[in-house]
Amino acid sequence: MNLIIDIGNSAVKSAVFQDAKILRSYVFPFENFSENFQKIKKDYPQIAFSMLSSVIKDTFEIEKMLKKETKLFVLRENTRLSFKNNYASPQTLGKDRLALVAAGSLKYQNRNLLVIDAGTCITFDFKNDKNEYLGGAISPGLQMRLKALHNFTAKLPLVKLEENIALIGDSTKNSILSGVLNGVVAELDGIIDRYKTDYKYLTIILTGGDSQILSKRVKNGIFANPNFLLEGLNYILEFNKTQ
């Protein structure tokens, strides 16, 4: 049984896997890591392996905790992967992006694949049909755009994201929501169209915290999978267990 942990910019996402199947998933604040880890171990004492991916550099105490009770694997730039990484600066590549490509390598090895992760940032990651990772793009996420409009202007308010937004905003609040949400949707559709022009038979995966709200609006055919990153980390763990 595996415990998969992804420490992101906004929260910790975790899941317990039995082989390739998720038994249970969790989301909790970074500050509450210790108590949540103990709770997970109490609920699933059969956990023997763990995989840690983090955008935070200082994870010494967390690694120490995991090593004490599991066989720990940490995702680093030199971790064995099941695809060829052609990124020009692999040491700067986010571990979450590596995990997303790993999941794509598992499920779509011989297909052109674009993975879009809509979280704090929106990342685009492309793997070709030769199982080579070429790179992608990084863009501000929905919440980051809302906060930027508030923080970098004198009078625009900080508004909360809502789903039912018209194209034409009839108030300052609705104009902000229309600009941010419809702007991101137009961005996604535009980038997907450009990839489709250059790469035939393209599969598109949309994942991340904002994937549900965006998947209803993107016109291009996509597969929404909120657990894609965790599945990728579990695959990397299984791949390295057998090496």
Side-chain angles (χ1 to χ4, degrees), residues 49-83:
F49 296 88
S50 62
M51 165 63 81
L52 174 65
S53 169
S54 176
V55 299
I56 299 171
K57 291 184 179 179
D58 184 11
T59 58
F60 176 79
E61 290 300 326
I62 288 176
E63 291 182 36
K64 184 178 176 182
M65 192 184 312
L66 292 170
K67 283 179 181 176
K68 187 176 179 181
E69 303 202 42
T70 67
K71 170 67 175 176
L72 172 65
F73 290 80
V74 181
L75 183 59
R76 309 188 194 279
E77 60 268 14
N78 59 352
T79 299
R80 295 187 190 93
L81 300 169
S82 58
F83 57 90

Side-chain angles (χ1 to χ4, degrees), residues 146 149 156-157 159 162 165-183:
L146 291 172
L149 287 172
L156 290 180
V159 300
E162 297 177 7
I165 299 302
L167 177 62
I168 301 174
D170 59 1
S171 66
T172 299
K173 170 190 168 184
N174 288 339
S175 294
I176 291 172
L177 290 170
S178 175
V180 169
L181 186 54
N182 292 316

